[in-house]
Amino acid sequence: MKHFPARTILFCLILFAWLPANRAVAQRFNPAEVARWRQQARQITIIRDTWGVPHIYGKTDADVVFGLLYTQCEDDFARVEANYIDAIGRLAEVEGESALYHDLRARLFMDSTQAIAQYKKSPAWMKKLLDAFADGTNYYLATHPDVKPALLTRFQPWMPLMFSEGSIGGNISAVSAERLKGFYTQTRSTSWLEHDVFKQDREPVGSNGFAIAPSRSATKNALLLINPHTSFYFRSEVHMISNAGLNAYGAVTWGQFFIYQGFNENCGWMHTSSQADSMDEYLETIEKRNGKYYYKYGSEWRPVQTQTVSLPYKQGDKILRKEFTIYRTHHGPVAGQQGDQWLTVRMMNDGLNALSQSYLRTKATDYASYKEVMKLNGNASNNTVFADRKGNIAYWHGNFMPRRDTTFNWNQPVDGSNPRTEWKGLHPVNDIVQVLNPASGWIQNCNSTPFTMSGSSSPAKSNYPAYMAPDAENYRGINAVRVLSRRSAYTLDTLIAAANDPYLAAFEELIPALVSAYQTVAANPGAVSPAVTEAIDTLRTWNRCYGVGSVAQTVATYWGERIQRLARNRIPAGQRPDQLRFTAIVVNNTTAAEKISALNDVLTELTRDFGNWKTPWGAVNRFQRLTGNIDETFDDQKPSIPVAFTSSAWGSLAAYGARTYPGTKKRYGSVGNSFVAVVEFGPKIKARSVVTGGQKSRPDSPHFTDQAALYCAGQFKEVRFYPEDIRQHAEKTYKPGEE
């Protein structure tokens, strides 16, 4: 009998163990391409630090993009896939017929045919990155046959062109799917009316960005706060390093291949959601002749463009299809109807420029080079707060900005038949609302008006067309100006303290209004209970600051939510008041008796749910992460952590949107502070960061909730940016496919 070396026997055992998985891989991918991916993977090194953050090294940028997508899939493949299912308009194949109009909306503005065409005309450097995106994701699936995608078994290089700015949905999320459904199903219902999201209870989303100039810095180095407010676990923390000059650290939206909000060794950028008017609605006058539609433009009638699309949707175990005839004018797709007129939507529709700008800015070296990249005009939904190591701080309000005739009200749909409503090209970057190195020494934007961004050094509203910055002030903006104005010299520690300032500016008007209502109602003997009197005394002496031990915050928050629900139904038709105007409606459009009745109901609710209305905020407001699923579940009987900060609706700079869930009495967070970082741009980068929970989505990972305690306390970890620090704090070093 022939004897085989032990090494040969071991190899055979490994081979037999690998074959079933290899057969699964072979069904998805060609062995030759898997071999090619494996070869590229050998050029990539991933170092996971002690927080699980991946530092991805490669010879080329494409190598790093390959490694980035691989690590994202390792950390949360479900979210990577979900973002692309959404972006490419195939959600109904997973969620069923109810998502058809979500998919139709996506197809109206960008479909795979357009994305493929843009991929084909992409410059060579971009094609390499797009190919690396697909290869890295597919290599993960090839080496993890146990992963079962919900829909996408293969990723294509054109997909990122449909998801190019970093915020999934982008501007199309502002287009009402209900109104669109009303038009394309021809069902006259409330969906034919303007979809007014303000009349729903919802947590405000957005972000905060602060920049501190050397004149206000203790070290004379510029500082930057990066503080996006998103749904939890929406972005991951990563570090991308290539031999071709890429060295960027920050937050990446799952499935994207660029640092969306972050910094490199020379500069940093923070994006906040913008109300800068970068899209318009047109009312089209329509006639039907011989079965065809025409729209009026000037003195002529033009044929409406039509296209038949067949959208798949899941029903039980089957995939069915529904056909739609979609309509377009030269302004854009038809997305609704107002009276007898059709409503079209025009917006930026250039995925290649948007994606190019998103990537190239991560390699900017200073203010001048960052501004040069902005000339691509590919950012339609964000403002930018900026700082660099030369000491510059800057702000731009929006970027993609159509030039328009200012005699029209662009906050409303305009007459599509009037040629004067055409866009007249784009405003150059120098035209848009901005500031560079303001005398105040600081910049803030909290999704608020740019005309208070730097205190007395802010731009003048009168210098700009109204459509450039219709954004209103909000309570975070008010608090940010107050906080940044009061300190002469900032450090990373005091910048963190500013980002966590506990003052809740919205209650400056609401609590006095409640106290005044109490004085009116209590003038009648026996009209109020002793509990209401005690609660009013508690609120009257409250400093308007959040804290885990604050009973006043609990009572104020529950009462504020209840009285807002009552007032929301009294908003005049057609109005969408901003936060400050809504507070005025709450104060003025509810009676004293209603205010006190709402407080009495709150005390009853708290006593019922927690045994005593004198319940501290930290006992109510909790952080919990149990499953890591996109739709998380919550359980009062399982461990959770108290959280002091609260909804940004009240002015909380550190935002935490929480609510009760089926079966819970406590409130659990799901939106708000996500990736948060502070950066100092000195001779060497100094930075700290924290994410919601942890880097990994699997409950069995040590990095599932290892940052939760820091996050809930408003504390940060040290960022490992330089090779020596990364190596010293390395937990694991490997190559894709060999972990």
Side-chain angles (χ1 to χ4, degrees), residues 528 653 697:
V528 296
L653 289 171
S697 65

Side-chain angles (χ1 to χ4, degrees), residues 94-129:
V94 177
E95 295 188 359
E97 190 173 8
S98 62
L100 264 178
Y101 298 93
H102 179 99
D103 291 351
L104 180 61
R105 180 177 66 183
R107 302 292 182 92
L108 282 176
F109 293 96
M110 173 70 88
D111 62 21
S112 59
T113 302
Q114 294 168 285
I116 291 168
Q118 290 191 0
Y119 167 75
K120 289 179 178 178
K121 74 174 186 179
S122 296
W125 69 267
M126 176 57 78
K127 273 189 179 177
K128 290 177 182 178
L129 301 183

